[in-house]
């Protein structure tokens, strides 16, 4: 049963890491909603696996882009010139955009995570209700950004100030319910980017953040091992399951989300957020 639950959480991670509906919130809400209590599902090995899975999906899907951008970045340093080269600009956009989120993660993420949900402890009603409020509020911010701006700007039209604003928005994702992809896509839409361009830049910004989160979890795991901690066979078994499921689902999520946003608005995600917020608020109040 725990393996089935782990597969479900891997699917949830692969979907919600890229769709603007908050992966961190869903990984808390789903076990709480269905009363899954096995500690293997909140163990460090499984957390590391989920991060590795979605990071791998981004690296594989955009591998040609990553090779091109990395080459452009080194060329810009070597020549001390960015100029009008779109790849060089995007390479530096990613670097600049990740700085606010990286700083926020280092300074505040562990404290905020503990405030919402400490590992091994049942989540409090107040934390669920606060998360519901954040999910609900972000739905209307996403709606406003999509409806009020004209989405005409492509990747070649981006400016350094756009990368900074989107990066600042990404820093807000340390709060469960905001959604890293939701915050960055919303900021991109508010700045007038095309929907698929906003999503693509969101994915590129997400890779270094996911790498950082994965390395932090891996470091914590190593510290636990050095301190004498041991992990059950079940926890170790969930590691490859988390990587594989999150990677495969994440890959196809990126593919079809980009196609979807080329022709559709973000209303479906707004409606989902509103429905989810109402559902978990009602359940929290009933359970007391």
């Amino acid at each position: 049963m725990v393996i089935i639950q782990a597969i479900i959480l891997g699917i949830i991670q692969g979907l919600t890491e890229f769709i603007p509906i908050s992966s961190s919130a869903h990984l808390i809400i789903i076990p709480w909603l269905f009363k899954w209590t096995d500690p293997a599902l909140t163990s460090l090995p499984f957390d590391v696996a989920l991060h590795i899975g979605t990071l791998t999906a981004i690296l594989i899907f955009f591998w040609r882009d990553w090779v091109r951008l990395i080459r452009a970045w080194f060329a810009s340093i070597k020549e001390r010139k960015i100029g009008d080269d779109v790849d060089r600009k995007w390479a530096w956009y990613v670097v600049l955009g990740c700085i606010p989120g990286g700083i926020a993660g280092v300074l505040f993420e562990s404290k905020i995570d503990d405030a919402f949900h400490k590992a091994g402890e049942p989540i409090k009603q107040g934390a669920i209700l606060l998360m519901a409020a954040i999910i609900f509020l972000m739905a209307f911010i996403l709606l406003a950004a999509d409806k009020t701006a004209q989405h005409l700007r492509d990747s070649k039209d981006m400016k350094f100030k756009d990368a900074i604003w989107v990066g600042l928005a990404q820093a807000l994702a340390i709060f469960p319910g905001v959604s890293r992809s939701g915050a960055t896509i919303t900021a991109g839409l508010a700045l007038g980017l095309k929907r698929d361009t906003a999503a693509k830049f969101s994915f590129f910004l997400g890779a270094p953040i996911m790498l950082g989160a994965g390395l932090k979890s891996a470091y914590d795991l190593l510290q636990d091992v050095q301190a004498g901690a041991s992990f059950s066979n079940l926890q170790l078994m969930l590691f490859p399951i988390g990587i594989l499921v999150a990677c495969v689902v994440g890959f196809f999520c990126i593919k079809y989300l980009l196609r979807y946003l080329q022709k559709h608005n973000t209303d479906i995600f707004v409606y989902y957020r509103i429905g989810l917020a109402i559902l978990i608020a009602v359940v929290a109040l009933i359970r007391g």
Side-chain angles (χ1 to χ4, degrees):
M1 190 62 191
V2 175
I3 292 176
I4 294 174
Q5 293 169 354
I7 292 173
I8 292 172
L9 291 178
I11 293 171
I12 294 295
Q13 170 70 10
L15 286 173
T16 58
E17 182 63 51
F18 305 112
I19 294 175
I21 55 176
S22 182
S23 61
S24 58
H26 278 76
L27 292 177
I28 294 173
I29 291 168
I30 296 299
W32 167 79
L33 195 60
F34 296 104
K35 299 183 178 180
W36 297 347
T37 58
D38 196 295
L41 298 175
T42 57
S43 65
L44 270 176
F46 192 58
D47 181 68
V48 172
L50 293 179
H51 282 100
I52 292 175
T54 44
L55 173 62
T56 304
I58 289 183
L59 296 179
I60 293 175
F61 190 89
F62 293 111
W63 74 268
R64 290 184 181 87
D65 300 84
W66 285 116
V67 170
R68 199 175 65 249
L69 291 182
I70 291 171
R71 286 176 177 172
W73 188 74
F74 279 109
S76 71
I77 294 177
K78 182 180 179 180
E79 299 175 13
R80 297 182 181 180
K81 179 182 178 182
I82 296 176
D84 294 326
D85 188 290
V86 175
D87 288 339
R88 295 188 183 191
K89 287 182 178 180
W90 262 60
W92 281 103
Y93 293 163
V94 173
V95 172
L96 287 175
C98 287
I99 293 174
I103 293 173
V106 171
L107 296 179
F108 306 114
E109 187 170 20
S110 60
K111 296 177 181 179
I112 291 175
D113 283 347
D114 287 344
F116 277 88
H117 186 213
K118 290 185 178 181
E121 297 182 11
I123 188 168
K124 297 178 181 179
Q125 182 194 54
I128 287 289
L129 292 175
L130 178 56
M131 204 181 309
I134 293 172
I135 293 170
F136 190 82
L137 176 62
M138 281 300 300
F140 288 96
I141 295 175
L142 175 59
L143 180 66
D146 200 351
K147 298 298 184 185
T148 58
Q150 289 185 318
H151 310 296
L152 303 175
R153 301 173 62 209
D154 210 333
S155 57
K156 64 181 181 297
D157 301 314
M158 282 190 65
K159 307 294 183 184
F160 278 97
K161 65 179 181 180
D162 299 325
I164 294 172
W165 281 113
V166 176
L168 289 171
Q170 182 168 247
L172 297 175
I174 58 175
F175 294 95
V178 169
S179 170
R180 188 204 58 78
S181 59
T184 51
I185 291 174
T186 298
L189 294 176
L191 292 166
L193 297 179
K194 291 182 178 179
R195 295 182 180 93
D196 57 325
T197 300
K200 185 175 181 180
F201 187 60
S202 169
F203 300 155
F204 274 75
L205 280 188
I209 296 297
M210 275 182 264
L211 176 61
L215 290 175
K216 172 62 167 59
S217 296
Y219 174 78
D220 292 340
L221 179 62
L222 180 62
Q223 292 290 101
D224 287 350
V225 171
Q226 291 177 340
S230 60
F231 300 97
S232 67
N233 290 334
L234 177 59
Q235 289 175 318
L236 297 177
M237 185 188 303
L238 296 186
F239 189 85
I241 292 174
I243 293 175
L244 180 61
V245 176
C247 178
V248 172
V249 174
F251 181 91
F252 286 102
C253 180
I254 294 170
K255 179 179 180 179
Y256 291 110
L257 180 61
L258 287 174
R259 287 185 184 180
Y260 179 85
L261 292 176
Q262 288 175 355
K263 299 179 180 179
H264 302 86
N265 58 31
T266 59
D267 285 359
I268 188 172
F269 309 122
V270 171
Y271 299 146
Y272 177 84
R273 276 182 166 272
I274 293 172
L276 177 65
I278 294 172
L279 171 65
I280 63 175
V282 169
V283 173
L285 291 171
I286 290 174
R287 288 184 180 178

Short mmCIF file of all heavy atoms in Angstrom, two decimals, residues 63-111:
data_model
loop_
_atom_site.label_atom_id
_atom_site.label_comp_id
_atom_site.label_asym_id
_atom_site.label_seq_id
_atom_site.Cartn_x
_atom_site.Cartn_y
_atom_site.Cartn_z
N TRP A 63 17.32 19.59 -22.98
CA TRP A 63 18.77 19.37 -22.98
C TRP A 63 19.48 20.18 -24.06
O TRP A 63 20.56 20.72 -23.83
CB TRP A 63 19.10 17.88 -23.10
CG TRP A 63 18.88 17.26 -24.45
CD1 TRP A 63 17.77 16.66 -24.92
CD2 TRP A 63 19.85 17.20 -25.51
NE1 TRP A 63 17.96 16.21 -26.20
CE2 TRP A 63 19.23 16.52 -26.59
CE3 TRP A 63 21.17 17.64 -25.66
CZ2 TRP A 63 19.88 16.29 -27.81
CZ3 TRP A 63 21.82 17.40 -26.86
CH2 TRP A 63 21.19 16.73 -27.91
N ARG A 64 18.86 20.31 -25.23
CA ARG A 64 19.49 21.11 -26.29
C ARG A 64 19.58 22.58 -25.87
O ARG A 64 20.59 23.24 -26.11
CB ARG A 64 18.70 20.99 -27.59
CG ARG A 64 18.78 19.62 -28.25
CD ARG A 64 18.03 19.61 -29.59
NE ARG A 64 18.09 18.31 -30.23
CZ ARG A 64 17.22 17.33 -30.01
NH1 ARG A 64 16.23 17.50 -29.14
NH2 ARG A 64 17.34 16.16 -30.63
N ASP A 65 18.51 23.06 -25.25
CA ASP A 65 18.50 24.46 -24.78
C ASP A 65 19.57 24.68 -23.71
O ASP A 65 20.25 25.71 -23.70
CB ASP A 65 17.13 24.82 -24.22
CG ASP A 65 16.03 24.69 -25.25
OD1 ASP A 65 15.53 23.56 -25.43
OD2 ASP A 65 15.70 25.68 -25.90
N TRP A 66 19.70 23.71 -22.79
CA TRP A 66 20.69 23.85 -21.72
C TRP A 66 22.10 23.89 -22.28
O TRP A 66 22.93 24.72 -21.86
CB TRP A 66 20.57 22.69 -20.72
CG TRP A 66 19.40 22.81 -19.80
CD1 TRP A 66 18.33 21.97 -19.71
CD2 TRP A 66 19.18 23.83 -18.83
NE1 TRP A 66 17.45 22.41 -18.75
CE2 TRP A 66 17.95 23.54 -18.19
CE3 TRP A 66 19.89 24.97 -18.43
CZ2 TRP A 66 17.41 24.36 -17.19
CZ3 TRP A 66 19.36 25.77 -17.43
CH2 TRP A 66 18.13 25.46 -16.82
N VAL A 67 22.39 23.02 -23.25
CA VAL A 67 23.72 23.02 -23.86
C VAL A 67 23.99 24.36 -24.53
O VAL A 67 25.08 24.95 -24.37
CB VAL A 67 23.84 21.87 -24.89
CG1 VAL A 67 25.13 22.01 -25.71
CG2 VAL A 67 23.82 20.51 -24.19
N ARG A 68 23.00 24.87 -25.24
CA ARG A 68 23.15 26.15 -25.95
C ARG A 68 23.34 27.30 -24.97
O ARG A 68 24.20 28.17 -25.16
CB ARG A 68 21.93 26.38 -26.82
CG ARG A 68 22.13 27.40 -27.93
CD ARG A 68 20.94 27.50 -28.83
NE ARG A 68 19.77 28.01 -28.13
CZ ARG A 68 18.69 27.27 -27.86
NH1 ARG A 68 18.62 26.00 -28.22
NH2 ARG A 68 17.67 27.81 -27.21
N LEU A 69 22.54 27.33 -23.90
CA LEU A 69 22.63 28.42 -22.94
C LEU A 69 23.93 28.38 -22.15
O LEU A 69 24.52 29.44 -21.86
CB LEU A 69 21.44 28.37 -21.99
CG LEU A 69 20.06 28.69 -22.58
CD1 LEU A 69 19.00 28.64 -21.50
CD2 LEU A 69 20.05 30.05 -23.26
N ILE A 70 24.37 27.20 -21.78
CA ILE A 70 25.64 27.09 -21.03
C ILE A 70 26.80 27.57 -21.89
O ILE A 70 27.69 28.29 -21.42
CB ILE A 70 25.85 25.64 -20.55
CG1 ILE A 70 24.81 25.30 -19.45
CG2 ILE A 70 27.27 25.45 -20.01
CD1 ILE A 70 24.79 23.85 -19.06
N ARG A 71 26.80 27.16 -23.16
CA ARG A 71 27.85 27.63 -24.07
C ARG A 71 27.80 29.16 -24.21
O ARG A 71 28.85 29.83 -24.20
CB ARG A 71 27.68 26.97 -25.44
CG ARG A 71 28.09 25.50 -25.49
CD ARG A 71 27.80 24.92 -26.86
NE ARG A 71 28.25 23.54 -26.95
CZ ARG A 71 27.98 22.73 -27.97
NH1 ARG A 71 27.24 23.19 -29.01
NH2 ARG A 71 28.42 21.51 -27.99
N ALA A 72 26.59 29.68 -24.35
CA ALA A 72 26.43 31.13 -24.50
C ALA A 72 26.88 31.87 -23.25
O ALA A 72 27.49 32.95 -23.34
CB ALA A 72 24.96 31.46 -24.81
N TRP A 73 26.61 31.30 -22.09
CA TRP A 73 27.00 31.93 -20.83
C TRP A 73 28.52 32.02 -20.71
O TRP A 73 29.07 33.08 -20.38
CB TRP A 73 26.42 31.15 -19.66
CG TRP A 73 26.61 31.82 -18.34
CD1 TRP A 73 25.94 32.91 -17.86
CD2 TRP A 73 27.56 31.45 -17.31
NE1 TRP A 73 26.39 33.23 -16.59
CE2 TRP A 73 27.37 32.36 -16.24
CE3 TRP A 73 28.51 30.45 -17.20
CZ2 TRP A 73 28.14 32.28 -15.08
CZ3 TRP A 73 29.27 30.37 -16.05
CH2 TRP A 73 29.08 31.28 -15.00
N PHE A 74 29.20 30.91 -21.01
CA PHE A 74 30.67 30.92 -20.94
C PHE A 74 31.25 31.86 -22.00
O PHE A 74 32.26 32.54 -21.75
CB PHE A 74 31.22 29.51 -21.11
CG PHE A 74 31.18 28.70 -19.84
CD1 PHE A 74 30.29 27.64 -19.70
CD2 PHE A 74 32.01 29.01 -18.78
CE1 PHE A 74 30.25 26.91 -18.52
CE2 PHE A 74 31.99 28.28 -17.60
CZ PHE A 74 31.10 27.22 -17.47
N ALA A 75 30.62 31.89 -23.18
CA ALA A 75 31.10 32.79 -24.23
C ALA A 75 30.96 34.24 -23.82
O ALA A 75 31.84 35.07 -24.09
CB ALA A 75 30.32 32.53 -25.52
N SER A 76 29.87 34.56 -23.13
CA SER A 76 29.67 35.96 -22.68
C SER A 76 30.71 36.36 -21.65
O SER A 76 31.14 37.52 -21.61
CB SER A 76 28.26 36.12 -22.11
OG SER A 76 28.13 35.48 -20.85
N ILE A 77 31.13 35.42 -20.82
CA ILE A 77 32.17 35.70 -19.83
C ILE A 77 33.52 35.84 -20.50
O ILE A 77 34.29 36.77 -20.21
CB ILE A 77 32.22 34.59 -18.76
CG1 ILE A 77 30.92 34.59 -17.94
CG2 ILE A 77 33.42 34.77 -17.84
CD1 ILE A 77 30.84 33.49 -16.92
N LYS A 78 33.80 34.93 -21.41
CA LYS A 78 35.09 34.95 -22.11
C LYS A 78 35.27 36.24 -22.91
O LYS A 78 36.35 36.87 -22.89
CB LYS A 78 35.20 33.74 -23.03
CG LYS A 78 36.51 33.64 -23.78
CD LYS A 78 36.55 32.41 -24.66
CE LYS A 78 37.87 32.32 -25.43
NZ LYS A 78 37.92 31.11 -26.30
N GLU A 79 34.20 36.64 -23.61
CA GLU A 79 34.28 37.83 -24.46
C GLU A 79 33.88 39.11 -23.73
O GLU A 79 33.99 40.19 -24.28
CB GLU A 79 33.38 37.64 -25.69
CG GLU A 79 33.79 36.46 -26.56
CD GLU A 79 32.82 36.22 -27.70
OE1 GLU A 79 31.96 37.11 -27.95
OE2 GLU A 79 32.90 35.15 -28.34
N ARG A 80 33.36 38.93 -22.48
CA ARG A 80 32.88 40.06 -21.68
C ARG A 80 31.85 40.88 -22.47
O ARG A 80 31.88 42.12 -22.49
CB ARG A 80 34.05 40.96 -21.26
CG ARG A 80 35.04 40.26 -20.35
CD ARG A 80 36.14 41.19 -19.91
NE ARG A 80 37.10 40.50 -19.05
CZ ARG A 80 38.16 41.07 -18.51
NH1 ARG A 80 38.40 42.37 -18.74
NH2 ARG A 80 38.99 40.38 -17.76
N LYS A 81 30.95 40.14 -23.07
CA LYS A 81 29.95 40.79 -23.92
C LYS A 81 28.69 39.92 -23.99
O LYS A 81 28.76 38.71 -24.16
CB LYS A 81 30.52 41.00 -25.33
CG LYS A 81 29.55 41.64 -26.30
CD LYS A 81 30.18 41.76 -27.68
CE LYS A 81 29.19 42.36 -28.68
NZ LYS A 81 29.76 42.43 -30.06
N ILE A 82 27.54 40.57 -23.85
CA ILE A 82 26.26 39.90 -24.01
C ILE A 82 25.63 40.30 -25.34
O ILE A 82 25.19 39.45 -26.11
CB ILE A 82 25.31 40.23 -22.85
CG1 ILE A 82 25.89 39.70 -21.54
CG2 ILE A 82 23.92 39.63 -23.10
CD1 ILE A 82 25.09 40.05 -20.32
N GLY A 83 25.60 41.61 -25.61
CA GLY A 83 25.09 42.11 -26.88
C GLY A 83 23.62 41.78 -27.09
O GLY A 83 22.83 41.74 -26.14
N ASP A 84 23.28 41.49 -28.34
CA ASP A 84 21.89 41.19 -28.68
C ASP A 84 21.63 39.69 -28.79
O ASP A 84 20.56 39.28 -29.23
CB ASP A 84 21.53 41.86 -30.01
CG ASP A 84 21.55 43.39 -29.91
OD1 ASP A 84 21.20 43.90 -28.83
OD2 ASP A 84 21.93 44.04 -30.90
N ASP A 85 22.60 38.88 -28.41
CA ASP A 85 22.45 37.43 -28.50
C ASP A 85 21.39 36.96 -27.49
O ASP A 85 21.55 37.12 -26.28
CB ASP A 85 23.79 36.75 -28.22
CG ASP A 85 23.75 35.25 -28.48
OD1 ASP A 85 23.08 34.54 -27.71
OD2 ASP A 85 24.38 34.80 -29.46
N VAL A 86 20.30 36.37 -28.00
CA VAL A 86 19.19 35.95 -27.13
C VAL A 86 19.63 34.86 -26.16
O VAL A 86 19.24 34.87 -24.98
CB VAL A 86 18.00 35.46 -27.99
CG1 VAL A 86 16.89 34.91 -27.08
CG2 VAL A 86 17.46 36.59 -28.84
N ASP A 87 20.46 33.92 -26.60
CA ASP A 87 20.91 32.85 -25.72
C ASP A 87 21.75 33.39 -24.58
O ASP A 87 21.61 32.96 -23.43
CB ASP A 87 21.71 31.82 -26.51
CG ASP A 87 20.84 30.98 -27.43
OD1 ASP A 87 19.63 30.91 -27.17
OD2 ASP A 87 21.37 30.39 -28.38
N ARG A 88 22.62 34.35 -24.87
CA ARG A 88 23.44 34.93 -23.81
C ARG A 88 22.56 35.68 -22.81
O ARG A 88 22.78 35.61 -21.59
CB ARG A 88 24.49 35.88 -24.40
CG ARG A 88 25.53 35.18 -25.26
CD ARG A 88 26.65 36.11 -25.67
NE ARG A 88 27.61 35.45 -26.55
CZ ARG A 88 28.78 35.95 -26.90
NH1 ARG A 88 29.14 37.14 -26.44
NH2 ARG A 88 29.59 35.28 -27.70
N LYS A 89 21.59 36.39 -23.33
CA LYS A 89 20.66 37.10 -22.43
C LYS A 89 19.90 36.13 -21.54
O LYS A 89 19.81 36.31 -20.33
CB LYS A 89 19.68 37.93 -23.26
CG LYS A 89 20.29 39.17 -23.89
CD LYS A 89 19.23 39.95 -24.65
CE LYS A 89 19.79 41.23 -25.26
NZ LYS A 89 18.76 41.99 -26.00
N TRP A 90 19.34 35.07 -22.14
CA TRP A 90 18.56 34.11 -21.36
C TRP A 90 19.42 33.41 -20.33
O TRP A 90 18.95 33.13 -19.22
CB TRP A 90 17.88 33.10 -22.29
CG TRP A 90 16.45 33.47 -22.56
CD1 TRP A 90 16.00 34.61 -23.13
CD2 TRP A 90 15.29 32.71 -22.21
NE1 TRP A 90 14.63 34.61 -23.19
CE2 TRP A 90 14.17 33.46 -22.63
CE3 TRP A 90 15.08 31.48 -21.61
CZ2 TRP A 90 12.87 33.01 -22.45
CZ3 TRP A 90 13.79 31.02 -21.44
CH2 TRP A 90 12.69 31.78 -21.85
N ALA A 91 20.68 33.11 -20.68
CA ALA A 91 21.57 32.47 -19.72
C ALA A 91 21.73 33.35 -18.48
O ALA A 91 21.67 32.88 -17.34
CB ALA A 91 22.93 32.21 -20.36
N TRP A 92 21.91 34.66 -18.69
CA TRP A 92 22.05 35.58 -17.56
C TRP A 92 20.72 35.86 -16.89
O TRP A 92 20.67 36.11 -15.68
CB TRP A 92 22.72 36.87 -18.02
CG TRP A 92 24.20 36.71 -18.15
CD1 TRP A 92 24.92 36.55 -19.29
CD2 TRP A 92 25.13 36.64 -17.07
NE1 TRP A 92 26.25 36.39 -19.00
CE2 TRP A 92 26.41 36.45 -17.64
CE3 TRP A 92 25.02 36.72 -15.68
CZ2 TRP A 92 27.57 36.33 -16.86
CZ3 TRP A 92 26.17 36.61 -14.91
CH2 TRP A 92 27.42 36.42 -15.50
N TYR A 93 19.62 35.79 -17.64
CA TYR A 93 18.30 35.93 -17.03
C TYR A 93 18.08 34.83 -15.99
O TYR A 93 17.54 35.07 -14.90
CB TYR A 93 17.19 35.84 -18.08
CG TYR A 93 17.13 36.97 -19.07
CD1 TYR A 93 16.41 36.84 -20.26
CD2 TYR A 93 17.77 38.18 -18.84
CE1 TYR A 93 16.34 37.87 -21.19
CE2 TYR A 93 17.71 39.22 -19.76
CZ TYR A 93 16.99 39.06 -20.93
OH TYR A 93 16.92 40.08 -21.85
N VAL A 94 18.47 33.60 -16.35
CA VAL A 94 18.30 32.47 -15.43
C VAL A 94 19.15 32.68 -14.18
O VAL A 94 18.68 32.45 -13.05
CB VAL A 94 18.66 31.14 -16.12
CG1 VAL A 94 18.67 29.99 -15.12
CG2 VAL A 94 17.68 30.85 -17.25
N VAL A 95 20.39 33.12 -14.37
CA VAL A 95 21.28 33.36 -13.22
C VAL A 95 20.68 34.43 -12.30
O VAL A 95 20.57 34.23 -11.08
CB VAL A 95 22.68 33.79 -13.70
CG1 VAL A 95 23.54 34.22 -12.51
CG2 VAL A 95 23.35 32.65 -14.45
N LEU A 96 20.29 35.56 -12.87
CA LEU A 96 19.73 36.65 -12.08
C LEU A 96 18.42 36.26 -11.42
O LEU A 96 18.17 36.57 -10.26
CB LEU A 96 19.51 37.89 -12.96
CG LEU A 96 20.75 38.66 -13.41
CD1 LEU A 96 20.35 39.78 -14.36
CD2 LEU A 96 21.47 39.24 -12.19
N GLY A 97 17.57 35.56 -12.19
CA GLY A 97 16.26 35.20 -11.67
C GLY A 97 16.30 34.23 -10.51
O GLY A 97 15.37 34.19 -9.69
N CYS A 98 17.38 33.44 -10.42
CA CYS A 98 17.47 32.45 -9.34
C CYS A 98 18.00 33.04 -8.03
O CYS A 98 17.85 32.41 -6.98
CB CYS A 98 18.38 31.30 -9.77
SG CYS A 98 17.65 30.21 -10.99
N ILE A 99 18.60 34.21 -8.09
CA ILE A 99 19.21 34.79 -6.89
C ILE A 99 18.19 35.05 -5.77
O ILE A 99 18.40 34.63 -4.63
CB ILE A 99 20.01 36.07 -7.23
CG1 ILE A 99 21.22 35.70 -8.09
CG2 ILE A 99 20.43 36.81 -5.97
CD1 ILE A 99 21.99 36.89 -8.62
N PRO A 100 17.05 35.74 -6.04
CA PRO A 100 16.10 35.98 -4.95
C PRO A 100 15.56 34.69 -4.33
O PRO A 100 15.47 34.56 -3.11
CB PRO A 100 14.98 36.78 -5.63
CG PRO A 100 15.63 37.41 -6.82
CD PRO A 100 16.64 36.42 -7.29
N GLY A 101 15.21 33.72 -5.20
CA GLY A 101 14.69 32.45 -4.68
C GLY A 101 15.72 31.69 -3.88
O GLY A 101 15.40 31.07 -2.86
N GLY A 102 16.98 31.73 -4.33
CA GLY A 102 18.04 31.05 -3.60
C GLY A 102 18.26 31.66 -2.22
O GLY A 102 18.40 30.94 -1.23
N ILE A 103 18.26 32.98 -2.16
CA ILE A 103 18.44 33.67 -0.87
C ILE A 103 17.28 33.36 0.07
O ILE A 103 17.47 33.04 1.25
CB ILE A 103 18.57 35.19 -1.08
CG1 ILE A 103 19.87 35.51 -1.83
CG2 ILE A 103 18.53 35.92 0.26
CD1 ILE A 103 20.01 36.96 -2.23
N ALA A 104 16.06 33.44 -0.45
CA ALA A 104 14.88 33.16 0.37
C ALA A 104 14.88 31.72 0.87
O ALA A 104 14.53 31.46 2.03
CB ALA A 104 13.61 33.43 -0.44
N GLY A 105 15.29 30.81 0.01
CA GLY A 105 15.33 29.40 0.41
C GLY A 105 16.32 29.15 1.53
O GLY A 105 16.01 28.45 2.50
N VAL A 106 17.52 29.71 1.40
CA VAL A 106 18.55 29.52 2.42
C VAL A 106 18.14 30.13 3.76
O VAL A 106 18.33 29.54 4.82
CB VAL A 106 19.89 30.13 1.94
CG1 VAL A 106 20.90 30.14 3.07
CG2 VAL A 106 20.44 29.34 0.76
N LEU A 107 17.56 31.32 3.71
CA LEU A 107 17.25 32.05 4.95
C LEU A 107 15.96 31.60 5.63
O LEU A 107 15.89 31.57 6.87
CB LEU A 107 17.18 33.55 4.66
CG LEU A 107 18.47 34.22 4.20
CD1 LEU A 107 18.21 35.70 3.93
CD2 LEU A 107 19.57 34.05 5.23
N PHE A 108 14.95 31.26 4.84
CA PHE A 108 13.62 31.11 5.44
C PHE A 108 12.91 29.79 5.19
O PHE A 108 11.95 29.48 5.90
CB PHE A 108 12.70 32.24 4.93
CG PHE A 108 13.25 33.62 5.14
CD1 PHE A 108 13.60 34.42 4.06
CD2 PHE A 108 13.44 34.11 6.42
CE1 PHE A 108 14.12 35.68 4.24
CE2 PHE A 108 13.95 35.38 6.62
CZ PHE A 108 14.29 36.17 5.53
N GLU A 109 13.34 29.00 4.20
CA GLU A 109 12.51 27.85 3.80
C GLU A 109 12.30 26.85 4.92
O GLU A 109 11.19 26.38 5.16
CB GLU A 109 13.12 27.15 2.58
CG GLU A 109 12.21 26.05 2.04
CD GLU A 109 12.69 25.51 0.71
OE1 GLU A 109 13.88 25.69 0.38
OE2 GLU A 109 11.87 24.91 0.00
N SER A 110 13.37 26.49 5.65
CA SER A 110 13.23 25.49 6.70
C SER A 110 12.31 25.98 7.82
O SER A 110 11.50 25.22 8.36
CB SER A 110 14.60 25.12 7.28
OG SER A 110 15.23 26.27 7.84
N LYS A 111 12.40 27.28 8.13
CA LYS A 111 11.53 27.84 9.18
C LYS A 111 10.07 27.84 8.75
O LYS A 111 9.18 27.52 9.55
CB LYS A 111 11.98 29.26 9.51
CG LYS A 111 13.38 29.35 10.10
CD LYS A 111 13.79 30.79 10.35
CE LYS A 111 15.22 30.86 10.91
NZ LYS A 111 15.66 32.25 11.14
#
